[in-house]
Amino acid sequence: MPSFDIVSKVDPQTLDNAINTVKKEITGRYDFKDSHVSIELNKKDFLVNLEAESDMKMSQIIDVLLNRSIKQGLEASIYDLSKKPEPSGKVVKQAVPVRNGLKQEDSKKIVKLIKDSGLKVQPAIMDDIIRVTGKKIDDLQEVIALLRGSKLELPLQYVNMKS
């Protein structure tokens, strides 16, 4: 039976390259000259720590981060920007978690969406992977189209397609 896997993984090397490109661009910009800026990637926890002198500079750093990540082939939705920057003394700090892997509640939403669509496929949650099996490849392609058209705000990849 044909099947494929739905995953949400971020390549650590591509993420590291994107962060290094952001650092290089920010340090070269004239409006950031002689100002305190810190951009650090915690590879173990998938967390980007940002520091800047003001909210305006922080929003510019985030804008550059999103643009450079997209140019590196990463989706902008991998960054969880729901938390606002916090002032800490003379600087503004923000910890931006990187979404890597599917959480249990996200997996349940995806499975419910697939089951509610009425397609003749069977989704199964396996840790941070959802395996979708069906009798025809066309049904599997309809599931991919359904998930791409839905507003899930998750960076999903469709891998391991077997017929």
Side-chain angles (χ1 to χ4, degrees):
M1 287 198 22
S3 68
F4 74 95
D5 296 336
I6 302 170
V7 297
S8 180
K9 297 225 185 278
V10 176
D11 180 33
Q13 187 60 50
T14 308
L15 180 63
D16 190 38
N17 291 344
I19 297 298
N20 289 334
T21 307
V22 170
K23 285 182 190 177
K24 196 173 187 180
E25 181 173 330
I26 292 294
T27 54
R29 281 179 50 164
Y30 181 75
D31 55 344
F32 282 94
K33 192 173 186 175
D34 297 331
S35 64
H36 173 74
V37 173
S38 173
I39 303 167
E40 311 252 333
L41 172 64
N42 184 340
K43 293 180 186 178
K44 183 180 161 206
D45 298 331
F46 279 94
L47 189 70
V48 180
N49 294 311
L50 305 173
E51 282 185 25
E53 287 182 348
S54 65
D55 285 332
M56 183 184 75
K57 288 187 178 182
M58 180 64 74
S59 65
Q60 289 175 346
I61 292 171
I62 290 172
D63 189 42
V64 171
L65 176 69
L66 294 176
N67 286 333
R68 294 296 161 228
S69 297
I70 290 170
K71 286 188 178 180
Q72 292 279 342
L74 299 171
E75 291 185 44
S77 60
I78 65 168
Y79 300 108
D80 185 8
L81 297 169
S82 59
K83 294 180 183 172
K84 298 295 176 203
E86 300 171 0
S88 173
K90 292 183 178 180
V91 296
V92 178
K93 294 182 178 183
Q94 183 170 5
V96 181
V98 178
R99 295 181 179 126
N100 190 28
L102 285 172
K103 293 187 177 101
Q104 195 69 25
E105 63 265 8
D106 294 334
S107 298
K108 287 180 182 178
K109 278 186 203 173
I110 292 170
V111 168
K112 184 176 181 341
L113 186 69
I114 293 170
K115 286 186 176 182
D116 290 348
S117 70
L119 296 170
K120 295 181 180 176
V121 294
Q122 290 79 36
I125 299 173
M126 299 159 49
D127 290 332
D128 62 345
I129 296 173
I130 300 173
R131 176 150 299 154
V132 181
T133 56
K135 290 185 178 177
K136 294 187 267 178
I137 289 184
D138 293 344
D139 293 338
L140 300 179
Q141 290 173 338
E142 285 182 41
V143 169
I144 293 172
L146 170 78
L147 292 175
R148 283 193 176 141
S150 66
K151 304 224 178 338
L152 286 173
E153 298 290 325
L154 292 170
L156 298 176
Q157 293 90 34
Y158 311 99
V159 296
N160 206 12
M161 177 73 95
K162 296 178 182 173
S163 55

